């Protein structure tokens, strides 16, 4: 398994990954909405030009099996933090791929003056919550009935990790 930053040549493979994640329910790309080749090019270009943003991919035999996005900003008051999103295609190896991606993301954050990683996800995603917690993420809070998933209101859990 190779973990590396996204490259422009990865657009088609990345879109295929996102499509498979949408159908499997294991997605969560923070960009939301439908991504086309054109706006994915724009996204990649933006990430490659901004030192506060990164998308890491997990490759196995040349195929993208998962990604981790880290999106920070340049606003003085909040530039120390980045929003995290993780998507993994291979449910069988989800924990191994997830740990590899998260560890690489944590190293990247430390190297790029990001002090705080944060994310939110539905409380029903217990497997992903446990994955994050095994790598030092803590629960910050819970928003009640903040998400509407398949016609049902569900709670949203907020997690964070400080980079020391």
């Amino acid at each position: 398994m190779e973990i590396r930053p996204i490259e422009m040549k990865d657009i088609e493979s990345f879109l295929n990954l996102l499509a498979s994640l949408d159908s499997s329910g294991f997605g969560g790309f923070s960009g939301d909405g439908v991504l086309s080749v054109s706006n994915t090019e724009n996204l990649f270009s933006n990430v490659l030009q901004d030192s506060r943003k990164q998308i890491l991919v997990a490759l196995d035999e040349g195929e993208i099996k998962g990604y981790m996005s880290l999106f920070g900003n340049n606003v003085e008051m909040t530039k120390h933090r980045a929003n995290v999103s993780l998507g993994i295609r291979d449910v069988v190896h989800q924990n191994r791929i997830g740990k590899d991606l998260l560890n690489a993301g944590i190293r990247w954050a430390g190297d790029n003056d990001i002090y705080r990683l944060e994310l939110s996800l539905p409380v029903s995603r217990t497997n992903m919550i446990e994955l994050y917690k095994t790598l030092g993420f803590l629960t910050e809070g819970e928003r009640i009935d903040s998400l509407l998933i398949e016609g049902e209101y569900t709670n949203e859990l907020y997690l964070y990790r400080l980079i020391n």
Side-chain angles (χ1 to χ4, degrees):
M1 183 73 53
E2 174 192 5
I3 306 293
R4 67 161 171 79
I6 199 83
E7 298 173 2
M8 290 303 279
K9 68 180 182 178
D10 296 323
I11 290 173
E12 188 174 320
S13 184
F14 188 73
L15 287 171
N16 289 338
L17 171 71
L18 292 181
S20 73
L21 294 176
D22 278 348
S23 66
S24 73
F26 285 96
F29 189 69
S30 61
D32 289 336
V34 177
L35 289 177
S36 67
V37 170
S38 175
N39 56 19
T40 303
E41 284 176 352
N42 290 337
L43 170 68
F44 284 13
S45 181
N46 180 283
V47 167
L48 293 170
Q49 294 174 24
D50 190 335
S51 65
R52 313 293 301 162
K53 296 179 181 172
Q54 183 61 269
I55 298 174
L56 300 169
V57 291
L59 294 157
D60 188 26
E61 297 180 14
E63 181 183 358
I64 296 178
K65 297 288 188 175
Y67 78 89
M68 178 182 187
S69 68
L70 300 108
F71 285 4
N73 64 65
N74 292 303
V75 177
E76 189 63 34
M77 192 166 59
T78 59
K79 73 179 187 177
H80 66 284
R81 65 187 196 200
N83 194 320
V84 173
S85 178
L86 190 66
I88 302 164
R89 177 185 311 205
D90 189 349
V91 178
V92 173
H93 298 105
Q94 184 173 7
N95 281 344
R96 182 177 55 84
I97 296 169
K99 284 179 182 176
D100 288 350
L101 283 165
L102 283 165
N103 282 322
I106 290 165
R107 280 190 304 277
W108 177 86
D111 292 343
N112 287 277
D113 297 322
I114 303 288
Y115 173 69
R116 177 187 164 93
L117 299 176
E118 54 193 28
L119 65 121
S120 68
L121 64 167
V123 294
S124 61
R125 301 286 306 276
T126 54
N127 58 335
M128 293 299 287
I129 292 167
E130 287 307 311
L131 173 62
Y132 283 111
K133 286 186 173 186
T134 61
L135 291 167
F137 283 78
L138 302 171
T139 301
E140 185 160 40
E142 186 171 338
R143 290 177 68 187
I144 308 303
D145 289 348
S146 62
L147 301 172
L148 184 61
I149 300 174
E150 296 177 1
E152 298 283 328
Y153 291 105
T154 189
N155 297 357
E156 182 178 19
L157 195 65
Y158 283 80
L159 301 174
Y160 75 97
R161 183 176 195 268
L162 301 179
I163 309 297
N164 298 337

